[in-house]
Amino acid sequence: MKNKWLAAPYVVWMAIFVVAPLILVVVFAFTGQDGSVTLDNFSNMGTYVPAFWHSFGLAIAATLICILIGYPLAYFLSREKLMVRKVAMMLIMLPMWMNFLLRTYAWMSILDDNGLINQFLSSIGFFNVWNAIFGTNIQFFHMINTQGAIVLGMVYNFLPFMVLPIFSVIDKIDPKVIEAAQDLGASSSMVFRKVIFPLSLPGVLSGVTMVFIPSVSTFALSRLLGGGKTLLLGDLIEMQFLGNAYNPHLGSAIALVMMVIVLVMMAIMNRFGEGEEGVAVL
Amino acid sequence: MSKELIRLSDCFMKFDDDVILDHINLYINDKEFLTLLGPSGCGKTTTLRIIGGFQKPTSGDVYFDGVRINDVPPHKRKVNTVFQKYALFTHMNIFENVAFGLRVNKIPDPNNPNRMVKVPEAEIKQRVEEALALVNLAGYGKRSVNSLSGGQQQRVAIARAIVNRPQVLLLDEPLGALDLKLRKDMQIELKRIQQQVGITFIYVTHDQEEALTMSDTIVVMNEGKIQQIGTPEDIYNEPKNAFVADFIGESNIIDGIMHEDYVVGMYGRKFKCLDKGFAPGEAVDVVIRPEDIDIVPEAEGQLTGTVTEVTFKGIHYDIIVDFRGFKWLIQTTDYSPVGAKIGVKIDPDGFHIMKKSQYSGTFGDYSSYSSEYDELNEDRLEENEDEE
C-alpha cells in the first residue's frame, strides 16, 4: 500500500489551498471588522438581494439556453460518422483554448452599437426596411450593455461544458436498447422520449452543473458585456476584496451564502436524477 | 403446425463487397421452434435481423403471412426480439420494462373501433404480471434491472418480448452470456415457454447441443448459405455434407468408394452399410460417429489401429486411434491404454454415406485433435464478443 503516498502531494495541496481557505471564508463570514464573532455580515446582506436574483436568474437563463442549443447538437452529433464528430468536437472545443477575456472583448466589438452586427445590418439596408415596416426610426440595435449580452457571454463561454457530457452519455447508449424499443413498437419520437432522453439525463445533469456554477459566480462578464449596470454576485464579492467597498468579512459571507444555495440546488437536482445510471455530478 | 408463416425468398445480402447471405430460401411454419445454427459470420444473425426488420436484404423478398414486408419497419411487425445481451431499459424497473411494449402501442377503442386508445392500466398490470409469472419472476416487478442476475435479466427480456403477444419471437443467442448449468436450465425453460404461449420461435445459436435440445427444425448455415434443413434427428443422423457432419457433434469423415448399393469401401476393405442410390464406384465421404464404434480385440476387428491419446470425459473416454495415418475419435466406456493395438467393429447402421462436397477433406480428421479443441474454444469466445 505504499503507493498511496503518491497521492500525498495533492493531499497537502488540498489541505493548504482548498480546506484552509474554506475555513478562512467561514471564519471571516462570522466575524466583524474588529475581529468579534457576529452575524452582522448576514443580517446586512439585505441590500444585496437584487444581486442574488440577477446572478441566479441570468445563470438559470444561460443554463436553459445551453440545454436547448447543446442537447440537439450533442444528439445529432452522436449519430454522425466518426470523422464529422471529430471535426465538430474540435470546433466546439477550439474557442476554449483562447483566453476568456479576449473572447469577451471580441463579443464587445461584435455587439457594439457600431459593432460588426449593426454595421452589417445597416450596410444591407436592413434598418430602412425595418423602419418602413414598423414605423420606427432606428439606426442600430442596442445589444451591448444589456442583460441579454451577459447571458450571451455565459452561453458562448460555457456551452462546450453542456455539449460534451451530454454527447458522451448519448454516445454510450447501446444501439441494441434503441432497437429493442423499436422492436416493441415504439416510433422514433417515442424511442427518443421514453428511452434516449431518460438515459441521457445523467449527461444533462452534469452539463447543468458545469454550466450553472461558473455562470452564477462569473465576474467581468457583467462589467464587459453588461456595462456594469447589472451587479452580479461575482462582481460584488470581488468589490469586497479588491474594490473600494473593501470588506472581506461581508464578501466571505456573500460567498458562503452563494455556495450554500448552489449546494442545495445541486442536491435537489441529484435527488431528481437518482436511480439513473452513473450520475456523476458534484 | 404446418401453416407457413414466414418465407424468405431468394434473399441476397451484400455488405461492401462481402456476401453475407447467398440467395437464401427458407420458409418457417406457424408455432414451430426453428433454430438457425452455424459458426460466427455464417449469416444466421443477419437472417434474424431481416425477419425482425432491422436490416433489408440487398435483393429478394420477405413474406409474413403471405404479405411482402420488406419495407415494414420493426415497430410495425408482429415480431418481437430477445436480444443477445438482453438490452433492457436500465432507467426503468422490471415492471416498466415488461410494460414498455404495451405502453407504446395503441389498441382499437372497444366502444368505437375507428379510434385508437392506450391500453388501459388494469390490462397492462394484468398482462405484465402474467408475463412475469410465465418466466418465473412473479413479484419482481418493483426491482431494478441492475439488482438481477444474468439469468433473471434474460427472463425479463423474454417477458418483455412476449407481452405484446407477437406471432413470432426472435431470439438472438439469448443464452450466450450465461454459464453452462444455467444455460441448460434455460433451454428446457424456453421450450416450455414456447409450448405454453404457442407461438413461433426463431432461435439463433452457434451451440449445436442447444439446437438439438430445443428445435423442431434446424437450419444449418455456413458462409451465407443454408447447408441443410431438417429435424434434429435428420441433421445428426443424415448430415448432407462434411461441414454439417462436423459441426453437429463429433464425426470421423473418411474417404470411401461406393462399390454398389449397401456396400462401401475404405482402407481397401468392404463394409456393409444401409445407404444406396450412388453410382457404382462413386467417391464418397463416409461419416462414422465416435459413439458408433466398438473396440474389440485386434484379431476380431474389421480394422486395426494404435491408440495414440486417451482423455477421460466423465461418462466416457475420448480415444484417438491411428488407422494407417488417419486418426479417428472413438467414444467408449472401455479403457484402452496409449500404444495398445486394438480392433474396431462398426455395425452397418453406423455408417453414413455422403456425396462429395466443397467441404470434403476439410473436416473429420482428428490428427490435430487437441489443437482443434483449442480452436473451438477460441471460436466460441470470439463469437460472444463479435457477433452482430
Side-chain angles (χ1 to χ4, degrees):
Chain A
M1 287 304 285
K2 64 181 175 204
N3 283 346
K4 74 178 173 192
W5 292 107
L6 289 175
Y10 185 66
V11 171
V12 172
W13 175 274
M14 278 222 301
I16 298 175
F17 296 108
V18 178
V19 179
L22 257 180
I23 293 169
L24 275 182
V25 167
V26 175
V27 169
F28 264 70
F30 287 97
T31 53
Q33 305 265 29
D34 53 2
S36 61
V37 174
T38 171
L39 290 175
D40 283 356
N41 295 324
F42 294 95
S43 52
N44 291 340
M45 224 179 276
T47 356
Y48 302 109
V49 167
F52 276 93
W53 283 124
H54 283 137
S55 270
F56 280 91
L58 295 188
I60 288 170
T63 308
L64 288 178
I65 293 172
C66 278
I67 295 178
L68 289 179
I69 301 174
Y71 194 99
L73 179 62
Y75 177 68
F76 289 109
L77 266 187
S78 71
R79 332 198 95 196
E80 282 297 335
K81 289 199 192 77
L82 189 66
M83 200 53 214
V84 179
R85 285 165 25 167
K86 276 188 175 163
V87 172
M89 276 300 143
M90 192 72 186
L91 290 176
I92 291 168
M93 306 270 287
L94 207 60
M96 300 207 299
W97 301 348
M98 230 155 322
N99 181 278
F100 171 79
L101 281 176
L102 211 61
R103 278 180 280 159
T104 309
Y105 283 132
W107 271 112
M108 286 169 74
S109 63
I110 293 171
L111 297 176
D112 197 79
D113 292 350
N114 288 313
L116 269 179
I117 294 178
N118 282 322
Q119 278 184 23
F120 172 74
L121 289 179
S122 73
S123 74
I124 60 167
F126 177 84
F127 292 111
N128 299 334
V129 179
W130 177 280
N131 290 335
I133 294 174
F134 295 101
T136 52
N137 184 24
I138 58 166
Q139 299 309 315
F140 56 81
F141 285 131
H142 181 60
M143 292 175 286
I144 193 77
N145 301 343
T146 59
Q147 295 195 347
I150 301 178
V151 171
L152 179 77
M154 292 175 177
V155 170
Y156 175 76
N157 280 307
F158 304 130
L159 184 62
F161 300 113
M162 184 64 81
V163 177
L164 293 179
I166 296 177
F167 172 79
S168 67
V169 171
I170 295 182
D171 194 38
K172 282 199 199 88
I173 295 176
D174 182 359
K176 287 270 153 75
V177 171
I178 293 163
E179 282 185 359
Q182 293 171 338
D183 182 77
L184 290 165
S187 59
S188 340
S189 72
M190 270 193 282
V191 170
F192 179 79
R193 272 207 329 272
K194 294 196 152 238
V195 178
I196 298 176
F197 184 70
L199 283 175
S200 67
L201 270 184
V204 177
L205 286 185
S206 49
V208 165
T209 317
M210 285 162 70
V211 171
F212 181 74
I213 290 177
S215 294
V216 83
S217 59
T218 185
F219 68 102
L221 271 182
S222 77
R223 212 176 334 148
L224 298 175
L225 294 176
K229 283 193 295 189
T230 313
L231 186 64
L232 295 187
L233 286 176
D235 303 288
L236 182 61
I237 295 168
E238 190 203 11
M239 273 160 56
Q240 308 305 322
F241 285 90
L242 302 170
N244 306 331
Y246 184 76
N247 184 353
H249 299 275
L250 180 62
S252 296
I254 297 170
L256 200 63
V257 170
M258 185 177 94
M259 208 172 83
V260 169
I261 296 176
V262 169
L263 275 175
V264 168
M265 288 178 78
M266 289 304 134
I268 292 169
M269 282 223 333
N270 276 358
R271 171 63 51 88
F272 171 65
E274 221 164 67
E276 308 292 343
E277 231 185 334
V279 179
V281 278
L282 270 187
Chain B
M1 173 78 195
S2 55
K3 187 177 142 266
E4 176 184 309
L5 189 62
I6 294 173
R7 174 179 285 273
L8 300 185
S9 172
D10 199 30
C11 277
F12 177 78
M13 179 109 177
K14 225 166 79 165
F15 197 75
D16 293 334
D17 274 339
D18 295 332
V19 175
I20 312 287
L21 289 183
D22 196 356
H23 302 284
I24 296 273
N25 285 290
L26 176 67
Y27 69 89
I28 298 159
N29 284 328
D30 196 17
K31 298 186 174 49
E32 157 173 60
F33 198 124
L34 179 130
T35 301
L36 300 170
L37 175 68
S40 184
C42 72
K44 58 189 191 299
T45 299
T46 307
T47 307
L48 195 78
R49 289 173 63 81
I50 286 175
I51 297 171
F54 298 109
Q55 279 173 354
K56 277 187 196 175
T58 316
S59 69
D61 296 310
V62 188
Y63 296 95
F64 189 94
D65 229 352
V67 182
R68 186 174 176 274
I69 55 163
N70 283 41
D71 303 314
V72 178
H75 69 272
K76 296 211 171 119
R77 296 193 181 193
K78 288 179 203 156
V79 164
N80 285 127
T81 309
V82 177
F83 290 86
Q84 191 170 12
K85 276 165 199 149
Y86 326 136
L88 295 178
F89 306 124
T90 47
H91 59 294
M92 299 177 185
N93 66 19
I94 302 306
F95 183 94
E96 287 303 319
N97 263 278
V98 179
F100 187 89
L102 297 171
R103 292 203 195 282
V104 297
N105 279 304
K106 296 200 164 178
I107 53 166
D109 188 341
N111 305 320
N112 177 2
N114 294 324
R115 245 187 66 200
M116 299 300 277
V117 291
K118 285 184 177 173
V119 183
E121 201 59 34
E123 187 182 341
I124 291 182
K125 192 163 185 292
Q126 188 208 338
R127 280 171 68 175
V128 170
E129 276 166 9
E130 270 172 26
L132 284 175
L134 185 72
V135 296
N136 289 331
L137 282 181
Y140 278 67
K142 290 227 164 64
R143 301 257 200 119
S144 79
V145 169
N146 292 323
S147 70
L148 265 54
S149 69
Q152 289 170 329
Q153 291 191 25
Q154 188 55 72
R155 287 160 193 268
V156 175
I158 294 166
R160 181 179 71 173
I162 58 176
V163 80
N164 277 6
R165 297 181 183 153
Q167 268 179 283
V168 178
L169 192 66
L170 308 179
L171 301 104
D172 185 5
E173 306 228 12
L175 309 183
L178 305 180
D179 61 56
L180 185 67
K181 177 91 175 64
L182 203 54
R183 212 153 65 210
K184 297 215 162 179
D185 293 346
M186 281 302 287
Q187 287 170 13
I188 295 164
E189 184 109 4
L190 273 174
K191 186 75 191 167
R192 172 186 68 77
I193 291 170
Q194 190 248 345
Q195 282 161 353
Q196 206 166 328
V197 294
I199 59 172
T200 307
F201 273 34
I202 304 176
Y203 191 97
V204 160
T205 184
H206 63 269
D207 183 329
Q208 43 103 1
E209 199 209 307
E210 214 163 274
L212 293 173
T213 309
M214 294 189 287
S215 317
D216 298 318
T217 306
I218 296 178
V219 179
V220 185
M221 297 181 69
N222 193 38
E223 296 174 329
K225 291 194 187 84
I226 292 177
Q227 303 294 331
Q228 187 170 1
I229 303 178
T231 64
E233 288 88 349
D234 283 347
I235 301 267
Y236 190 84
N237 293 329
E238 308 286 331
K240 267 212 179 117
N241 60 37
F243 174 81
V244 178
D246 182 74
F247 197 78
I248 311 289
E250 301 288 348
S251 300
N252 300 294
I253 304 172
I254 300 123
D255 286 334
I257 290 170
M258 216 48 197
H259 289 294
E260 55 191 275
D261 282 354
Y262 310 118
V263 180
V264 63
M266 53 181 203
Y267 290 101
R269 283 201 50 171
K270 291 185 178 178
F271 297 85
K272 261 195 198 155
C273 64
L274 302 179
D275 300 74
K276 59 175 172 127
F278 293 85
E282 184 177 344
V284 291
D285 285 336
V286 182
V287 179
I288 305 165
R289 295 288 185 185
E291 70 273 18
D292 291 337
I293 304 168
D294 284 330
I295 293 185
V296 294
E298 205 181 345
E300 295 167 29
Q302 293 168 308
L303 285 170
T304 57
T306 313
V307 176
T308 61
E309 217 173 305
V310 181
T311 316
F312 179 60
K313 287 287 181 181
I315 46 172
H316 62 258
Y317 294 97
D318 272 0
I319 295 181
I320 303 294
V321 182
D322 188 332
F323 292 102
R324 297 190 220 159
F326 192 91
K327 292 189 179 174
W328 293 24
L329 171 68
I330 300 175
Q331 290 173 342
T332 172
T333 50
D334 300 323
Y335 177 76
S336 304
V338 173
K341 299 250 182 234
I342 56 162
V344 291
K345 244 183 84 176
I346 304 151
D347 290 336
D349 66 357
F351 295 98
H352 169 66
I353 314 297
M354 304 182 303
K355 284 193 183 296
K356 286 281 181 189
S357 70
Q358 55 163 319
Y359 297 109
S360 296
T362 42
F363 297 105
D365 176 12
Y366 288 87
S367 301
S368 52
Y369 175 66
S370 45
S371 62
E372 183 177 47
Y373 255 57
D374 288 342
E375 267 167 39
L376 270 179
N377 287 335
E378 267 165 32
D379 275 349
R380 254 175 218 184
L381 286 174
E382 205 182 301
E383 184 119 22
N384 282 340
E385 283 156 17
D386 297 345
E387 189 80 1
E388 283 290 303

